[in-house]
Amino acid sequence: INSQGTISIADGYGIEFGASQGAGATSTLLDDYEEGTWTPTIVSLGGAAATLSSADGTYTKIGRKVIANYNVQMSSKGSMTGNYVLLGGLPFNHPTTTNGTGTIDKFNNMTTAFSSMAWDTTSTGSVMWLVGVEGTSATSSVYVTVAEISDTTKFKGTLIYHT
């Protein structure tokens, strides 16, 4: 402990939570904590990026768990085309299996009516795929196409996933 009351732990060490662990647990040692900023991007599957008038993101990583907040405002779709809209620039990649979700608590300026939207994390570890429930009576989500976003679409929310 230093004179300001901060506890420092040398690299390679952490906080041990004891020998008792649940089935499938691989470690009880917490040895990773980080806070920072990241710059979200909106891209098509082909890699064409939207021009963003604002792109703000913050994150906290505790062990393998990442909690990332974001706020993006587009000013142009540019040369984006195709059947998929992706969120890129993630602070950390994710496994391409069930590992988390991306919430969208505010979206606007879509060209198609959606009752809800989210980011799908089941494929491609460096991005998340935009999905939504079209209209008010759809019974499942679909991948959102580039044609369904406008030059001024906005997304704000939180990603929760593991690395």
Side-chain angles (χ1 to χ4, degrees):
I1 298 180
N2 68 20
S3 62
Q4 289 81 33
T6 301
I7 297 173
S8 296
I9 300 173
D11 285 344
Y13 297 91
I15 300 170
E16 180 67 54
F17 288 99
S20 177
Q21 54 190 24
T26 58
S27 177
T28 58
L29 182 67
L30 176 59
D31 61 354
D32 187 14
Y33 179 89
E34 181 178 333
E35 296 179 0
T37 60
W38 65 290
T39 304
T41 61
I42 301 295
V43 297
S44 63
L45 184 58
T51 301
L52 303 177
S53 57
S54 65
D56 302 308
T58 61
Y59 71 87
T60 301
K61 182 176 184 283
I62 305 169
R64 293 182 59 209
K65 188 62 64 183
V66 178
I67 303 163
N69 299 305
Y70 64 91
N71 187 1
V72 293
Q73 174 73 52
M74 295 172 47
S75 60
S76 171
K77 289 194 292 187
S79 60
M80 291 177 67
T81 60
N83 293 325
Y84 304 99
V85 176
L86 311 171
L87 177 66
L90 302 177
F92 301 93
N93 286 353
H94 59 82
T96 57
T97 58
T98 303
N99 61 70
T101 190
T103 65
I104 299 174
D105 59 48
K106 180 164 178 62
F107 62 90
N108 59 20
N109 301 333
M110 304 294 291
T111 63
T112 299
F114 285 88
S115 58
S116 68
M117 302 187 90
W119 297 105
D120 177 18
T121 62
T122 59
S123 177
T124 316
S126 61
V127 296
M128 294 189 178
W129 299 60
L130 184 60
V131 295
V133 176
E134 291 182 332
T136 59
S137 60
T139 58
S140 63
S141 61
V142 296
Y143 287 103
V144 176
T145 68
V146 172
E148 293 173 310
I149 63 173
S150 75
D151 280 332
T152 59
T153 294
K154 177 180 182 172
F155 300 110
K156 182 181 96 45
T158 301
L159 313 172
I160 303 172
Y161 64 99
H162 69 79
T163 59

